[in-house]
Amino acid sequence: QVQLVESGGGLVQPGGSLRLSCAASGFTLDYYAVGWFRQAPGKEREGVARISSTDNIYYAEFVKGRFTISRDNARNTVDLQMNNLQPEDTAVYFCASDYGFGGDSVVFGGTYFGFWGEGTQVTVSS
């Protein structure tokens, strides 16, 4: 089955860290761009970070210096290391790829994304 599956979310205190993983099955993630997005309750989905098929990296301004996106080709994943998390980072985090396109396609960092995972919840609270 071709899919993306996010993992690594959870509850963390302000200032803490989490590492999210986006795992692909049925295709090789290294050949495609991957983006991380998030959606907080009552807010629109926003792009967080993306890595292109040539490993060019782009971050949203609000995560620069705190989040790091990287590939782990041995695991066929793209990971998002999140440090110094704050309550405003609370959201469902989704990964997406340009592997395929359906009705839900967005542009972030100059790349179209249309193949989505189901998301993982990140909650930052004391």
Side-chain angles (χ1 to χ4, degrees):
Q1 184 177 2
V2 179
Q3 61 180 357
L4 292 172
V5 178
E6 301 92 337
S7 63
L11 173 64
V12 64
Q13 292 186 342
S17 298
L18 284 174
R19 188 175 183 88
L20 306 183
S21 287
C22 173
S25 59
F27 68 105
T28 302
L29 208 51
D30 189 36
Y31 298 155
Y32 298 92
V34 176
W36 280 98
F37 299 78
R38 69 187 188 184
Q39 187 165 20
K43 295 188 177 181
E44 292 190 356
R45 182 174 54 191
E46 59 185 355
V48 175
R50 73 101 175 98
I51 185 166
S52 75
S53 60
T54 58
D55 290 348
N56 178 269
I57 289 173
Y58 177 86
Y59 294 105
E61 282 295 324
F62 56 82
V63 300
K64 281 186 178 179
R66 299 191 300 131
F67 292 8
T68 302
I69 189 170
S70 61
R71 292 187 185 275
D72 186 334
N73 293 333
R75 293 166 54 231
N76 202 26
T77 66
V78 169
D79 300 332
L80 185 69
Q81 176 67 42
M82 306 188 296
N83 297 328
N84 191 24
L85 285 161
Q86 300 300 318
E88 54 266 33
D89 295 315
T90 295
V92 178
Y93 284 71
F94 301 87
C95 68
S97 171
D98 61 353
Y99 172 80
F101 300 93
D104 184 14
S105 296
V106 299
V107 177
F108 175 63
T111 303
Y112 280 88
F113 294 97
F115 190 75
W116 296 86
E118 294 295 316
T120 185
Q121 175 70 46
V122 171
T123 302
V124 185
S125 175
S126 56

